[in-house]
Amino acid sequence: HLMSSFALKLIALVLMLLDHIYEFFQITGAIPLWFTWLGRLSAPIFFFCMAQGIFYTHSRKLYLLRMYLFSIAMSAGNWLIAALLPNGSGGIPNNIFASLLLSAVIIVCMEEMAKDRQKGQQIWMVFLCIELAGFFVADLLSRAGLEAAAKLLQILIPTPLSVEGGIFLVILGPLFYYF
């Protein structure tokens, strides 16, 4: 191996930091645009590391559980920061862990389908039903003016249409995994 996954994650963290510095301080005019250009490389690196992690993990269930818990923790932290700042004027609405989680779940579903078609189809159906229910119920809550409840549901049940990067970023993980 030319580089460990830990080293790749450190590089991605530094690149992500550059992107966040640009995002928060671009208004000053002192932060160059190339900070965000370089920062956009962090997501593909994280997805590559996730694909490697799901391949080499000893327990996919525990791997997915950790991703889910990190996703919830990151969303809760973002929500808390936004609530503590005046007029909700801060916080980071992005949550790459939710995108990584969905990508990893799709990989596991595809792998289960390859091992046992019938069981794989059942797992896919459960996953798709949860995703669709989460999306539509959150939409209904939002339309009813229950924004906090909708946001909480999106935190608990992230969907490809509501996570950072959307469906295009979510499918990047399976692409890295299989290619």
Side-chain angles (χ1 to χ4, degrees), residues 3 5-20 38-47 49:
M3 190 177 299
S5 94
F6 180 74
L8 279 172
K9 289 174 190 173
L10 286 178
I11 290 169
L13 281 171
V14 169
L15 292 172
M16 184 179 61
L17 178 63
L18 289 175
D19 190 37
H20 284 92
L38 288 175
R40 297 307 162 137
L41 296 172
S42 62
I45 295 170
F46 283 129
F47 277 85
C49 291

mmCIF file of all heavy atoms in Angstrom, residues 3 5-20 38-47 49:
data_model
loop_
_atom_site.group_PDB
_atom_site.id
_atom_site.type_symbol
_atom_site.label_atom_id
_atom_site.label_comp_id
_atom_site.label_asym_id
_atom_site.label_seq_id
_atom_site.Cartn_x
_atom_site.Cartn_y
_atom_site.Cartn_z
ATOM 1 N N MET A 3 -0.292 4.267 0.826
ATOM 2 C CA MET A 3 -0.681 5.140 1.932
ATOM 3 C C MET A 3 -1.756 4.437 2.759
ATOM 4 O O MET A 3 -2.637 3.794 2.215
ATOM 5 C CB MET A 3 -1.235 6.445 1.346
ATOM 6 C CG MET A 3 -1.443 7.529 2.356
ATOM 7 S SD MET A 3 -2.005 9.085 1.611
ATOM 8 C CE MET A 3 -0.677 9.489 0.516
ATOM 9 N N SER A 5 -5.069 4.052 5.277
ATOM 10 C CA SER A 5 -6.358 4.738 5.287
ATOM 11 C C SER A 5 -6.346 5.850 6.333
ATOM 12 O O SER A 5 -7.017 6.863 6.165
ATOM 13 C CB SER A 5 -7.493 3.747 5.502
ATOM 14 O OG SER A 5 -7.869 3.618 6.812
ATOM 15 N N PHE A 6 -5.577 5.679 7.399
ATOM 16 C CA PHE A 6 -5.460 6.734 8.414
ATOM 17 C C PHE A 6 -4.838 7.989 7.793
ATOM 18 O O PHE A 6 -5.321 9.107 8.010
ATOM 19 C CB PHE A 6 -4.620 6.256 9.599
ATOM 20 C CG PHE A 6 -4.464 7.295 10.685
ATOM 21 C CD1 PHE A 6 -5.528 7.600 11.523
ATOM 22 C CD2 PHE A 6 -3.275 7.974 10.851
ATOM 23 C CE1 PHE A 6 -5.400 8.568 12.512
ATOM 24 C CE2 PHE A 6 -3.144 8.946 11.830
ATOM 25 C CZ PHE A 6 -4.197 9.240 12.669
ATOM 26 N N ALA A 7 -3.777 7.800 7.000
ATOM 27 C CA ALA A 7 -3.133 8.942 6.340
ATOM 28 C C ALA A 7 -4.097 9.612 5.360
ATOM 29 O O ALA A 7 -4.156 10.840 5.279
ATOM 30 C CB ALA A 7 -1.861 8.492 5.617
ATOM 31 N N LEU A 8 -4.856 8.806 4.617
ATOM 32 C CA LEU A 8 -5.848 9.360 3.694
ATOM 33 C C LEU A 8 -6.899 10.180 4.454
ATOM 34 O O LEU A 8 -7.301 11.257 4.005
ATOM 35 C CB LEU A 8 -6.540 8.254 2.910
ATOM 36 C CG LEU A 8 -5.793 7.696 1.709
ATOM 37 C CD1 LEU A 8 -6.526 6.483 1.152
ATOM 38 C CD2 LEU A 8 -5.613 8.747 0.639
ATOM 39 N N LYS A 9 -7.345 9.661 5.591
ATOM 40 C CA LYS A 9 -8.342 10.382 6.386
ATOM 41 C C LYS A 9 -7.773 11.703 6.919
ATOM 42 O O LYS A 9 -8.484 12.708 6.962
ATOM 43 C CB LYS A 9 -8.840 9.513 7.536
ATOM 44 C CG LYS A 9 -9.712 8.365 7.075
ATOM 45 C CD LYS A 9 -10.060 7.445 8.223
ATOM 46 C CE LYS A 9 -10.718 6.176 7.717
ATOM 47 N NZ LYS A 9 -10.912 5.204 8.791
ATOM 48 N N LEU A 10 -6.507 11.706 7.316
ATOM 49 C CA LEU A 10 -5.887 12.954 7.773
ATOM 50 C C LEU A 10 -5.816 13.973 6.641
ATOM 51 O O LEU A 10 -6.100 15.162 6.846
ATOM 52 C CB LEU A 10 -4.492 12.695 8.333
ATOM 53 C CG LEU A 10 -4.431 12.021 9.703
ATOM 54 C CD1 LEU A 10 -2.985 11.790 10.120
ATOM 55 C CD2 LEU A 10 -5.144 12.864 10.751
ATOM 56 N N ILE A 11 -5.445 13.518 5.447
ATOM 57 C CA ILE A 11 -5.404 14.413 4.285
ATOM 58 C C ILE A 11 -6.807 14.967 4.019
ATOM 59 O O ILE A 11 -6.978 16.169 3.797
ATOM 60 C CB ILE A 11 -4.843 13.676 3.048
ATOM 61 C CG1 ILE A 11 -3.349 13.401 3.242
ATOM 62 C CG2 ILE A 11 -5.093 14.467 1.774
ATOM 63 C CD1 ILE A 11 -2.758 12.452 2.225
ATOM 64 N N ALA A 12 -7.811 14.087 4.056
ATOM 65 C CA ALA A 12 -9.188 14.523 3.821
ATOM 66 C C ALA A 12 -9.629 15.523 4.892
ATOM 67 O O ALA A 12 -10.337 16.490 4.580
ATOM 68 C CB ALA A 12 -10.125 13.323 3.774
ATOM 69 N N LEU A 13 -9.240 15.316 6.146
ATOM 70 C CA LEU A 13 -9.594 16.255 7.220
ATOM 71 C C LEU A 13 -8.992 17.634 6.978
ATOM 72 O O LEU A 13 -9.658 18.654 7.167
ATOM 73 C CB LEU A 13 -9.141 15.713 8.571
ATOM 74 C CG LEU A 13 -10.013 14.649 9.200
ATOM 75 C CD1 LEU A 13 -9.331 14.041 10.423
ATOM 76 C CD2 LEU A 13 -11.362 15.219 9.579
ATOM 77 N N VAL A 14 -7.725 17.667 6.557
ATOM 78 C CA VAL A 14 -7.069 18.942 6.276
ATOM 79 C C VAL A 14 -7.769 19.633 5.100
ATOM 80 O O VAL A 14 -8.036 20.835 5.145
ATOM 81 C CB VAL A 14 -5.561 18.744 5.994
ATOM 82 C CG1 VAL A 14 -4.921 20.009 5.449
ATOM 83 C CG2 VAL A 14 -4.847 18.286 7.262
ATOM 84 N N LEU A 15 -8.074 18.861 4.052
ATOM 85 C CA LEU A 15 -8.772 19.434 2.901
ATOM 86 C C LEU A 15 -10.161 19.953 3.296
ATOM 87 O O LEU A 15 -10.586 21.021 2.852
ATOM 88 C CB LEU A 15 -8.881 18.402 1.781
ATOM 89 C CG LEU A 15 -7.556 18.005 1.115
ATOM 90 C CD1 LEU A 15 -7.754 16.838 0.167
ATOM 91 C CD2 LEU A 15 -6.936 19.200 0.405
ATOM 92 N N MET A 16 -10.862 19.189 4.135
ATOM 93 C CA MET A 16 -12.185 19.607 4.603
ATOM 94 C C MET A 16 -12.061 20.900 5.423
ATOM 95 O O MET A 16 -12.910 21.798 5.310
ATOM 96 C CB MET A 16 -12.826 18.499 5.437
ATOM 97 C CG MET A 16 -14.236 18.812 5.888
ATOM 98 S SD MET A 16 -14.993 17.486 6.832
ATOM 99 C CE MET A 16 -13.902 17.377 8.229
ATOM 100 N N LEU A 17 -11.021 20.996 6.232
ATOM 101 C CA LEU A 17 -10.798 22.209 7.015
ATOM 102 C C LEU A 17 -10.616 23.418 6.092
ATOM 103 O O LEU A 17 -11.181 24.490 6.344
ATOM 104 C CB LEU A 17 -9.586 22.047 7.928
ATOM 105 C CG LEU A 17 -9.208 23.266 8.765
ATOM 106 C CD1 LEU A 17 -10.327 23.624 9.731
ATOM 107 C CD2 LEU A 17 -7.912 23.013 9.515
ATOM 108 N N LEU A 18 -9.862 23.236 5.020
ATOM 109 C CA LEU A 18 -9.688 24.329 4.057
ATOM 110 C C LEU A 18 -11.047 24.766 3.488
ATOM 111 O O LEU A 18 -11.324 25.962 3.363
ATOM 112 C CB LEU A 18 -8.764 23.907 2.912
ATOM 113 C CG LEU A 18 -7.289 23.734 3.239
ATOM 114 C CD1 LEU A 18 -6.540 23.196 2.032
ATOM 115 C CD2 LEU A 18 -6.681 25.037 3.723
ATOM 116 N N ASP A 19 -11.876 23.796 3.148
ATOM 117 C CA ASP A 19 -13.198 24.101 2.600
ATOM 118 C C ASP A 19 -14.052 24.864 3.610
ATOM 119 O O ASP A 19 -14.729 25.832 3.264
ATOM 120 C CB ASP A 19 -13.890 22.806 2.170
ATOM 121 C CG ASP A 19 -15.150 23.067 1.369
ATOM 122 O OD1 ASP A 19 -15.175 24.023 0.570
ATOM 123 O OD2 ASP A 19 -16.122 22.313 1.540
ATOM 124 N N HIS A 20 -13.997 24.434 4.879
ATOM 125 C CA HIS A 20 -14.786 25.112 5.909
ATOM 126 C C HIS A 20 -14.242 26.511 6.196
ATOM 127 O O HIS A 20 -15.018 27.432 6.456
ATOM 128 C CB HIS A 20 -14.836 24.274 7.184
ATOM 129 C CG HIS A 20 -15.765 23.110 7.075
ATOM 130 N ND1 HIS A 20 -15.347 21.878 6.654
ATOM 131 C CD2 HIS A 20 -17.084 22.997 7.320
ATOM 132 C CE1 HIS A 20 -16.378 21.051 6.641
ATOM 133 N NE2 HIS A 20 -17.449 21.702 7.042
ATOM 134 N N LEU A 38 -9.789 22.753 -3.302
ATOM 135 C CA LEU A 38 -9.068 21.630 -2.679
ATOM 136 C C LEU A 38 -9.964 20.896 -1.676
ATOM 137 O O LEU A 38 -9.930 19.674 -1.574
ATOM 138 C CB LEU A 38 -7.799 22.124 -1.981
ATOM 139 C CG LEU A 38 -6.658 22.568 -2.886
ATOM 140 C CD1 LEU A 38 -5.514 23.144 -2.062
ATOM 141 C CD2 LEU A 38 -6.169 21.413 -3.739
ATOM 142 N N GLY A 39 -10.761 21.664 -0.955
ATOM 143 C CA GLY A 39 -11.637 21.078 0.059
ATOM 144 C C GLY A 39 -12.637 20.095 -0.512
ATOM 145 O O GLY A 39 -13.033 19.136 0.154
ATOM 146 N N ARG A 40 -13.052 20.309 -1.748
ATOM 147 C CA ARG A 40 -14.040 19.420 -2.368
ATOM 148 C C ARG A 40 -13.473 18.031 -2.655
ATOM 149 O O ARG A 40 -14.221 17.103 -2.944
ATOM 150 C CB ARG A 40 -14.595 20.045 -3.659
ATOM 151 C CG ARG A 40 -15.332 21.342 -3.420
ATOM 152 C CD ARG A 40 -16.408 21.148 -2.362
ATOM 153 N NE ARG A 40 -16.847 22.394 -1.791
ATOM 154 C CZ ARG A 40 -18.089 22.689 -1.550
ATOM 155 N NH1 ARG A 40 -19.039 21.837 -1.840
ATOM 156 N NH2 ARG A 40 -18.392 23.837 -0.985
ATOM 157 N N LEU A 41 -12.172 17.873 -2.542
ATOM 158 C CA LEU A 41 -11.556 16.551 -2.704
ATOM 159 C C LEU A 41 -11.762 15.671 -1.467
ATOM 160 O O LEU A 41 -11.581 14.457 -1.541
ATOM 161 C CB LEU A 41 -10.054 16.692 -2.982
ATOM 162 C CG LEU A 41 -9.677 17.395 -4.277
ATOM 163 C CD1 LEU A 41 -8.171 17.646 -4.319
ATOM 164 C CD2 LEU A 41 -10.125 16.581 -5.477
ATOM 165 N N SER A 42 -12.138 16.274 -0.357
ATOM 166 C CA SER A 42 -12.247 15.508 0.889
ATOM 167 C C SER A 42 -13.360 14.462 0.833
ATOM 168 O O SER A 42 -13.170 13.331 1.295
ATOM 169 C CB SER A 42 -12.440 16.430 2.091
ATOM 170 O OG SER A 42 -13.636 17.167 1.979
ATOM 171 N N ALA A 43 -14.509 14.786 0.282
ATOM 172 C CA ALA A 43 -15.630 13.828 0.260
ATOM 173 C C ALA A 43 -15.277 12.552 -0.502
ATOM 174 O O ALA A 43 -15.485 11.452 0.026
ATOM 175 C CB ALA A 43 -16.893 14.473 -0.291
ATOM 176 N N PRO A 44 -14.744 12.641 -1.723
ATOM 177 C CA PRO A 44 -14.374 11.382 -2.397
ATOM 178 C C PRO A 44 -13.347 10.561 -1.617
ATOM 179 O O PRO A 44 -13.417 9.327 -1.615
ATOM 180 C CB PRO A 44 -13.802 11.843 -3.741
ATOM 181 C CG PRO A 44 -14.380 13.187 -3.968
ATOM 182 C CD PRO A 44 -14.576 13.792 -2.608
ATOM 183 N N ILE A 45 -12.441 11.226 -0.939
ATOM 184 C CA ILE A 45 -11.452 10.482 -0.140
ATOM 185 C C ILE A 45 -12.147 9.764 1.017
ATOM 186 O O ILE A 45 -11.881 8.590 1.284
ATOM 187 C CB ILE A 45 -10.333 11.415 0.377
ATOM 188 C CG1 ILE A 45 -9.521 11.968 -0.798
ATOM 189 C CG2 ILE A 45 -9.414 10.666 1.357
ATOM 190 C CD1 ILE A 45 -8.545 13.075 -0.409
ATOM 191 N N PHE A 46 -13.060 10.460 1.702
ATOM 192 C CA PHE A 46 -13.803 9.820 2.790
ATOM 193 C C PHE A 46 -14.625 8.637 2.280
ATOM 194 O O PHE A 46 -14.704 7.599 2.930
ATOM 195 C CB PHE A 46 -14.718 10.817 3.507
ATOM 196 C CG PHE A 46 -14.008 11.750 4.452
ATOM 197 C CD1 PHE A 46 -14.217 13.121 4.376
ATOM 198 C CD2 PHE A 46 -13.149 11.266 5.425
ATOM 199 C CE1 PHE A 46 -13.578 13.987 5.247
ATOM 200 C CE2 PHE A 46 -12.501 12.127 6.297
ATOM 201 C CZ PHE A 46 -12.721 13.489 6.206
ATOM 202 N N PHE A 47 -15.244 8.771 1.116
ATOM 203 C CA PHE A 47 -16.037 7.674 0.566
ATOM 204 C C PHE A 47 -15.160 6.496 0.157
ATOM 205 O O PHE A 47 -15.553 5.342 0.320
ATOM 206 C CB PHE A 47 -16.912 8.157 -0.596
ATOM 207 C CG PHE A 47 -18.186 8.769 -0.114
ATOM 208 C CD1 PHE A 47 -18.238 10.098 0.260
ATOM 209 C CD2 PHE A 47 -19.336 8.015 0.012
ATOM 210 C CE1 PHE A 47 -19.400 10.662 0.739
ATOM 211 C CE2 PHE A 47 -20.512 8.564 0.494
ATOM 212 C CZ PHE A 47 -20.537 9.895 0.861
ATOM 213 N N CYS A 49 -12.359 5.697 1.661
ATOM 214 C CA CYS A 49 -11.993 5.069 2.942
ATOM 215 C C CYS A 49 -13.159 4.265 3.519
ATOM 216 O O CYS A 49 -12.954 3.191 4.089
ATOM 217 C CB CYS A 49 -11.517 6.128 3.938
ATOM 218 S SG CYS A 49 -9.930 6.863 3.509
#
